[in-house]
Amino acid sequence: MSKAPAITAYDPQPLRDRVVLITGGAQGVGRGIAQAVLGAGGSVFIGDLDEEAGQACLQEWQVGDRALFRRLDVSREADVRRWIKAALDHFGAIHGLVNNAGIADPHQGPLHKLPLETWNRYVATNLTGAFLCSKHALPSLTTAGGAIIHIASTRALQSEPDTEAYAATKGGLVALTHAMAVSAGPAVRVNAILPGWIATDEWKKPQERHHPKLSRKDHAQHPAGRVGMPEDIGALAVYLLSDASRFVTGQRFVVDGGMTIKMQYV
């Protein structure tokens, strides 16, 4: 007769001694994820186009060499290659990658008036950027037995009018997730988080930071009773980057306070 399964103690620092790279990590959801990783004991390397915001993170966090920032344009392969090299030069290994960088504005007008240049800009940043970062981080992630998270959106599942470019790229991230999970596994796990309405007003760089203006109606649209915050995404990211999720890969996780499961009648 086999022994009874043991009770395993919960690890309050599940990312201790781990290095996580986060694109678009200087503000908003990306910063929320970075702070969650730091709170879980990990180190972070954030890449962002906004150098001022990136430097503000380092100054406000005050965690020494556990945090590093470099300017990054995820749509440029040379930039990505240098960014990954800088991470390895500083930390020596990569245990996690969060592909969060993207153009956040979904509304670009009617499809028949959408310039090809605009469409290509969304694809290059929102989708190709995740491909490039994954491509160049994958060798180190494979050695470390790491994890990748793509930050997609609930707009991969539902839409408003005139949001084709944004929705298509976020849907592409969901498909990229299960394709990569099959190809990169079992060494590397790949999952996607699909945030809903996340209020990022208090997670911007200092001079743009302000309290969000949210009404009771805004909160009431959510079965959870409130609009989301970057911490909500960060908490799930920590789980997906840690060993607690070692049997989870190729999945999409909707974090939207229940909005996508609520019937809407006008």
Side-chain angles (χ1 to χ4, degrees):
M1 186 174 182
S2 62
K3 294 182 179 179
I7 296 174
T8 303
Y10 173 76
D11 186 353
Q13 296 272 281
L15 299 181
R16 185 189 302 105
D17 300 324
R18 300 197 183 185
V19 177
V20 178
L21 278 56
I22 304 164
T23 69
Q27 300 189 89
V29 167
R31 177 165 177 159
I33 293 171
Q35 293 191 191
V37 170
L38 290 169
S43 297
V44 297
F45 184 30
I46 56 175
D48 203 290
L49 282 171
D50 194 322
E51 292 190 55
E52 190 176 26
Q55 293 300 331
C57 286
L58 301 185
Q59 292 167 10
E60 293 178 327
W61 291 339
Q62 292 292 305
V63 294
D65 62 4
R66 287 179 57 212
L68 188 69
F69 165 76
R70 291 288 186 277
R71 188 182 185 280
L72 172 67
D73 182 346
V74 296
S75 70
R76 300 173 63 87
E77 187 163 19
D79 255 31
V80 172
R81 190 183 292 111
R82 284 191 294 267
W83 188 64
I84 297 296
K85 183 180 183 302
L88 291 171
D89 288 345
H90 183 80
F91 292 109
I94 299 171
H95 303 92
L97 168 66
V98 181
N99 288 309
N100 169 73
I103 300 170
D105 182 12
H107 298 278
Q108 289 297 319
L111 184 63
H112 68 281
K113 294 183 179 180
L114 183 67
L116 178 59
E117 179 184 1
T118 301
W119 172 272
N120 286 339
R121 187 163 56 89
Y122 273 79
V123 172
T125 303
N126 294 12
L127 186 55
T128 302
F131 153 68
L132 289 174
C133 292
S134 300
K135 170 185 174 180
H136 289 285
L138 198 57
S140 183
L141 286 166
T142 300
T143 299
I148 295 174
I149 300 173
H150 298 309
I151 304 299
S153 169
T154 51
R155 289 175 186 271
L157 308 176
Q158 57 180 181
S159 293
E160 292 179 295
D162 305 329
T163 60
E164 283 80 6
Y166 185 86
T169 55
K170 292 302 185 179
L173 285 174
V174 172
L176 183 64
T177 296
H178 58 70
M180 284 178 55
V182 173
S183 300
V188 178
R189 297 178 298 101
V190 187
N191 291 288
I193 299 177
L194 283 62
W197 184 349
I198 306 296
T200 60
D201 309 77
E202 294 178 302
W203 294 77
K204 296 182 179 181
K205 56 187 176 183
Q207 64 269 35
E208 295 181 4
R209 201 173 293 159
H210 60 88
H211 190 71
K213 297 179 181 178
L214 298 168
S215 67
R216 289 184 180 180
K217 184 177 180 181
D218 294 334
H219 293 298
Q221 293 180 62
H222 300 74
R226 63 173 176 85
V227 172
M229 299 296 289
E231 302 102 304
D232 298 314
I233 309 303
L236 178 56
V238 166
Y239 166 72
L240 292 174
L241 291 165
S242 75
D243 286 342
S245 63
R246 58 187 176 272
F247 195 57
V248 180
T249 193
Q251 304 306 306
R252 66 188 193 196
F253 295 87
V254 176
V255 185
D256 70 342
M259 278 193 77
T260 54
I261 52 88
K262 183 179 179 181
M263 296 291 290
Q264 304 287 339
Y265 293 102
V266 178

